[in-house]
Amino acid sequence: MAMEKFIKKPDRKPPKLIQSGPISWLLKNMFSSVTNSLISLIAILLVIQSVPFLVSWFLVDATWQGENRAACVENSGACWLYIREKFNLFIYGFFPKAEYWRVNAAAILFFVLIAPLFFKKFNFKLKWGLSVMVLYPVLTFILFYGGVAGLEVVETNKWGGLMLTVFVAYIGIIAAFPIGVILALGRNSDLPIAKYLCIGFIEFWRGVPLITILFMASVVLPLFLPEGVDLDKLMRATVGITLFQSAYLAEVVRGGIQAIPKGQYEAADSLGLNYYHKVSNIILPQALRIVIPSLVGTSISLFKDTTLLLIIGLFDVLAMVVATSADILWLGFEPEGYVFVGIIFWIFCYTLSRYSFKLEEKLSFKKN
Amino acid sequence: MKEEEIIRIENLNKWYGNFHVLKDIDLCVCRGDKIVICGPSGSGKSTLIRCINHLEEFQEGSLIVDGIEINKDVKNIEKIRSEVGMVFQHFNLFPHLTILKNLTLAPMLVRKKNLKEATEIAMQYLERVKIPEQAEKFPGQLSGGQQQRVAIARSLCMEPKIMLFDEPTSALDPEMIAEVLDVMVELADSGMTMLCVTHEMGFAKKVADTVIFMEGGQIVEENEPNMFFNKPKNERTKLFLNQILTH
């Protein structure tokens, strides 16, 4: 008797949805139940209430042209002249006008240096990226501070605005990263001394608010330094922020390390890899991928936390609102200032967050 | 030909906390031996072979692998581990690396081979496990059976003296077990020293020189396969065989 043959049936496309069109979409997505309908109605009401007001304040009734504040009086909307007038202060702080080009050069340098990372064919991405990460802040500092190659010295108390915010946040994030990784590894270590030192360090810095750390760095620390030793205030604050951030990063990285299955350690061990090889080739590459969202999250937090520098007398971009609105000629434009600074912060944070999504997608383990 | 001893275990005892997992284990393995260890779960068979490459510590007794005594203070544990390959139940491939990189990583880092040599060896072993065309894929893209064959190849790339198998087919679909066992049989035929914890009795009959039955942390019976399956010495062995072979 001939045996039955297995015949594979051809694949078909899934059936088309029978109901389509705007009415059925609305019914399905906005008014599928009483609660949903209620929520939809409230949401629509809120949009109707707020959007026209915002549009008129931001755009329609806003003042875009004119010489001085008198031009703003007639219009009920935002007075963007104030931003135009104070724009340089927001970006460069009290940096001497003649030296603005140094800040611009630093910004351009950044994009030039990271440009190779966007080329597919470039084979040394990791090495290049790491070198840029480490070298860039050094170059920037030299460029900002000057004192070499005929550059005039610009004391750090003249730094301010967005350049200060970005500089401090950049150093805080980059310098804290290796420290955080080492702390995380230390906390997971079998060596009791290393382990408890790391736990102590992490818990100390995480337990203290950043504002306290900044105060300590600017007010208390100088009391303990020997006479004549004068550490720059900005440097003290940056070190404080870095250590604070490293403790948070350590906990994020530790979360990633603990998510790596035991089997990965055992496989690495059974192949005879030593601790260094195991951590750098097997554990960290996987752990860091897992925690990219949290890493970027803490970085965004830190970026926003730099606004606390105001309380120790450093004028970051947010503090410039306070500083500029004290100008007698331009009194009372804080709302515009805060909105403007808010937009700047949002652009930076949103870029970071999009970048993290991209990175996550690119580095996710290929499956199927 | 005088058989050369490669593993000697004497009076080995191990506890997890107060739980006595391995009791007075004595075992001697010669170069080229194929040993199958079976027994109910929790009998300590995995723990025993994991002691051999020091993935588990033990508290009492002595264990000598390839002339080096393994104890708590062993200095060159990486050195011993590089001579002892291990295949796990859940493959434990490195998911962030391609198959080829999974295979070349340890030879390059531990054996200090250059990329070209390591790649040659890797491709040679991938041919041997019959999946050279998967070299550029990632572990997640392979079936369970293919992953386990890669795992075997990964261990072989270190050119180990001993291979340990910890239930290599237990996490596989029935249709994939055969492809992994084929590779293991072929490896056995090539003269590799093998210790396999497995429930595949067909494999045991085919390749084992010695079958060991464990229960409650003890070696209950150590016998050559023919005798083990047909005339077991111990009644506990007989009961176990009845239970697994009647279904």
Side-chain angles (χ1 to χ4, degrees):
Chain A
M1 195 177 81
M3 223 180 191
E4 252 182 72
K5 269 211 178 99
F6 168 69
I7 300 160
K8 194 171 182 288
K9 289 187 179 171
D11 295 337
R12 282 198 302 140
K13 285 209 170 113
K16 278 213 178 94
L17 284 175
I18 301 156
Q19 280 187 323
S20 59
I23 305 271
S24 71
W25 185 90
L26 278 178
L27 278 176
K28 196 176 153 201
N29 291 295
M30 293 179 77
F31 302 100
S32 58
S33 71
V34 178
T35 332
N36 278 0
S37 309
L38 221 63
I39 293 170
S40 300
L41 285 175
I42 292 172
I44 291 167
L45 219 69
L46 278 175
V47 171
I48 292 173
Q49 281 288 311
S50 56
V51 169
F53 167 76
L54 287 175
V55 170
S56 72
W57 189 83
F58 268 93
L59 304 169
V60 183
D61 294 334
T63 311
W64 297 89
Q65 284 174 333
E67 287 307 308
N68 49 38
R69 69 168 297 164
C72 293
V73 178
E74 306 150 24
N75 298 326
S76 59
C79 179
W80 298 124
L81 298 179
Y82 157 74
I83 301 298
R84 196 182 69 189
E85 178 74 20
K86 304 294 182 191
F87 186 78
N88 284 343
L89 283 169
F90 280 116
I91 305 299
Y92 306 101
F94 308 112
F95 218 74
K97 224 173 189 148
E99 309 295 329
Y100 280 178
W101 66 270
R102 281 150 67 169
V103 180
N104 298 341
I108 293 167
L109 183 67
F110 179 72
F111 290 106
V112 170
L113 286 177
I114 64 163
L117 298 179
F118 293 94
F119 287 108
K120 271 225 169 81
K121 286 267 166 69
F122 189 61
N123 285 330
F124 309 100
K125 277 188 183 162
L126 193 66
K127 276 180 194 155
W128 180 262
L130 286 176
S131 329
V132 168
M133 262 188 192
V134 176
L135 286 179
Y136 179 69
V138 179
L139 291 175
T140 314
F141 182 82
I142 294 169
L143 204 54
F144 286 177
Y145 189 78
V148 286
L151 287 175
E152 191 190 323
V153 172
V154 180
E155 292 294 339
T156 54
N157 57 13
K158 294 217 175 92
W159 302 15
L162 187 62
M163 63 154 280
L164 181 77
T165 300
V166 173
F167 183 77
V168 172
Y170 185 93
I171 298 210
I173 292 164
I174 299 299
F177 187 71
I179 305 176
V181 169
I182 290 168
L183 284 171
L185 290 171
R187 194 170 185 164
N188 274 6
S189 155
D190 294 331
L191 308 168
I193 295 178
K195 182 174 178 166
Y196 288 107
L197 271 177
C198 291
I199 292 180
F201 184 94
I202 292 168
E203 295 306 337
F204 172 77
W205 289 96
R206 288 207 321 154
V208 182
L210 183 57
I211 214 163
T212 316
I213 292 167
L214 290 174
F215 259 127
M216 297 288 271
S218 77
V219 182
V220 184
L221 191 64
L223 300 179
F224 292 101
L225 289 175
E227 223 169 300
V229 177
D230 183 28
L231 271 175
D232 184 76
K233 180 154 77 173
L234 177 64
M235 194 197 285
R236 276 179 274 141
T238 310
V239 169
I241 284 178
T242 303
L243 295 177
F244 175 80
Q245 178 72 356
S246 68
Y248 275 90
L249 283 180
E251 286 300 277
V252 169
V253 174
R254 184 170 73 103
I257 292 174
Q258 281 175 342
I260 305 299
K262 215 172 132 224
Q264 293 290 308
Y265 290 86
E266 291 179 350
D269 283 341
S270 76
L271 287 167
L273 299 184
N274 61 29
Y275 178 79
Y276 172 75
H277 286 148
K278 180 170 66 175
V279 164
S280 60
N281 288 284
I282 309 300
I283 306 305
L284 281 182
Q286 293 188 61
L288 293 179
R289 266 167 230 227
I290 299 172
V291 297
I292 287 172
S294 325
L295 280 179
V296 177
T298 39
S299 302
I300 289 176
S301 290
L302 180 76
F303 186 74
K304 293 188 287 188
D305 281 348
T306 52
T307 49
L308 290 173
L309 287 172
L310 169 67
I311 63 133
I312 59 164
L314 292 169
F315 284 84
D316 76 302
V317 62
L318 187 70
M320 290 320 289
V321 179
V322 182
T324 54
S325 61
D327 183 346
I328 312 167
L329 291 174
W330 294 94
L331 283 176
F333 291 116
E334 284 99 337
E336 284 85 346
Y338 284 122
V339 166
F340 174 65
V341 172
I343 292 170
I344 292 183
F345 269 101
W346 183 83
I347 289 171
F348 272 87
C349 296
Y350 187 69
T351 311
L352 269 177
S353 138
R354 291 309 305 174
Y355 179 67
S356 103
F357 276 123
K358 274 264 148 46
L359 206 60
E360 224 181 308
E361 224 169 74
K362 208 172 136 198
L363 295 180
S364 66
F365 309 137
K366 297 216 171 52
K367 274 178 190 150
N368 299 321
Chain B
M1 189 181 89
K2 191 176 168 290
E3 289 196 349
E4 193 188 341
E5 202 174 270
I6 192 158
I7 301 172
R8 174 179 279 280
I9 301 172
E10 273 170 2
N11 200 27
L12 185 131
N13 278 278
K14 176 176 171 60
W15 288 263
Y16 282 126
N18 284 326
F19 178 58
H20 200 166
V21 253
L22 293 176
K23 296 176 185 163
D24 306 327
I25 303 289
D26 290 304
L27 181 65
C28 210
V29 182
C30 291
R31 208 175 282 274
D33 276 359
K34 289 110 188 77
I35 293 176
V36 166
I37 305 171
C38 58
S41 53
S43 60
K45 41 193 201 311
S46 289
T47 312
L48 175 60
I49 68 164
R50 287 160 60 89
C51 282
I52 294 171
N53 67 352
H54 209 258
L55 286 182
E56 301 281 354
E57 287 181 358
F58 54 91
Q59 286 81 15
E60 266 181 33
S62 82
L63 168 53
I64 297 169
V65 177
D66 196 25
I68 302 169
E69 170 141 26
I70 297 186
N71 52 37
K72 256 191 199 145
D73 308 316
V74 66
K75 289 263 162 53
N76 292 324
I77 190 62
E78 283 101 11
K79 174 109 189 47
I80 295 160
R81 281 171 175 165
S82 68
E83 303 297 339
V84 181
M86 184 152 198
V87 176
F88 300 88
Q89 182 177 358
H90 296 288
F91 332 134
N92 297 351
L93 295 176
F94 305 128
H96 61 300
L97 301 176
T98 61
I99 301 305
L100 190 60
K101 288 211 176 116
N102 264 278
L103 267 64
T104 54
L105 184 76
M108 287 173 73
L109 294 177
V110 182
R111 295 263 191 262
K112 308 288 175 208
K113 294 210 185 327
N114 64 37
L115 181 65
K116 194 165 160 276
E117 288 174 314
T119 308
E120 268 168 25
I121 298 170
M123 289 315 295
Q124 181 193 324
Y125 281 109
L126 278 182
E127 301 268 359
R128 216 166 133 184
V129 300
K130 300 178 188 72
I131 34 175
E133 72 282 2
Q134 312 283 9
E136 292 305 323
K137 288 196 180 163
F138 284 85
Q141 296 169 300
L142 269 53
S143 74
Q146 289 173 326
Q147 289 193 48
Q148 193 61 297
R149 284 186 281 154
V150 172
I152 294 172
R154 179 175 68 177
S155 291
L156 292 176
C157 281
M158 290 295 286
E159 297 177 324
K161 295 177 178 158
I162 304 163
M163 283 288 286
L164 307 173
F165 291 84
D166 188 1
E167 305 204 25
T169 56
S170 300
L172 296 175
D173 289 346
E175 284 194 311
M176 293 171 183
I177 292 176
E179 63 186 55
V180 171
L181 289 179
D182 283 346
V183 169
M184 288 170 66
V185 170
E186 202 247 336
L187 185 63
D189 291 343
S190 75
M192 176 64 77
T193 310
M194 292 163 71
L195 275 89
C196 313
V197 171
T198 182
H199 300 293
E200 297 299 328
M201 289 305 131
F203 172 77
K205 282 178 193 165
K206 206 170 189 176
V207 305
D209 309 311
T210 308
V211 183
I212 289 173
F213 174 67
M214 287 183 73
E215 157 79 80
Q218 289 164 252
I219 292 184
V220 177
E221 178 157 355
E222 185 177 343
N223 213 334
E224 57 101 9
N226 204 1
M227 291 294 282
F228 183 88
F229 289 107
N230 298 319
K231 278 189 192 153
K233 288 183 278 189
N234 193 295
E235 58 176 21
R236 181 64 188 90
T237 315
K238 197 170 181 183
L239 183 65
F240 176 77
L241 287 172
N242 277 340
Q243 272 162 349
I244 62 164
L245 294 178
T246 47
H247 290 287

